[in-house]
Amino acid sequence: APWIHFAANASFGYRIFTHWYTFFLFADGPTDAYYKRFARDRLRYRDEIVCAAGRVVRRLGGPYSAVHVRRGELQYVSVRLDPDLWADALAQWLQPGERLFVLSDETS
């Protein structure tokens, strides 16, 4: 079968926001579902990565919320919001005094 590559590079003006195994394509429906479930259920991060994440969670302590703010590679510059707008938008979902863990690719 020919090789099909779904490029996902923002510098080309587009991104693909989905799980990578979405692009496993089999003509037979049950086979397609089997391999997608296999990828979802059996392919995991290495223990070192999971343990590093666990250390971060432990340091956060107690209940917390988290948000991943992508700022450096979106193709639509108009949706690059000011941090104060993010804070205002998120405030409605947080309890007073709730800890918020922000992950971002912000460089400034």
Side-chain angles (χ1 to χ4, degrees):
W3 179 261
I4 300 173
H5 179 239
F6 294 94
N9 188 332
S11 64
F12 293 126
Y14 57 88
R15 288 185 41 93
I16 299 173
F17 290 105
T18 189
H19 295 289
W20 57 271
Y21 54 80
T22 299
F23 302 104
F24 288 177
L25 303 172
F26 295 90
D28 174 50
T31 301
D32 188 63
Y34 172 83
Y35 283 105
K36 287 178 180 163
R37 281 193 305 270
F38 180 85
R40 181 196 66 202
D41 297 341
R42 302 291 175 115
L43 301 178
R44 300 280 187 229
Y45 288 109
R46 292 176 32 197
D47 287 345
E48 294 84 5
I49 295 171
V50 173
C51 289
R55 288 190 296 273
V56 170
V57 169
R58 209 171 22 258
R59 289 197 62 194
L60 288 171
Y64 67 92
S65 291
V67 62
H68 185 192
V69 179
R70 306 286 298 247
R71 294 183 47 89
E73 58 183 65
L74 287 174
Q75 70 268 34
Y76 301 108
V77 178
S78 63
V79 298
R80 189 176 176 141
L81 302 176
D82 182 75
D84 291 331
L85 289 174
W86 275 106
D88 292 343
L90 292 170
Q92 67 179 319
W93 301 104
L94 301 174
Q95 299 296 319
E98 183 176 355
R99 188 170 290 145
L100 177 64
F101 183 54
V102 179
L103 298 95
S104 178
D105 59 353
E106 178 67 59
T107 58
S108 59

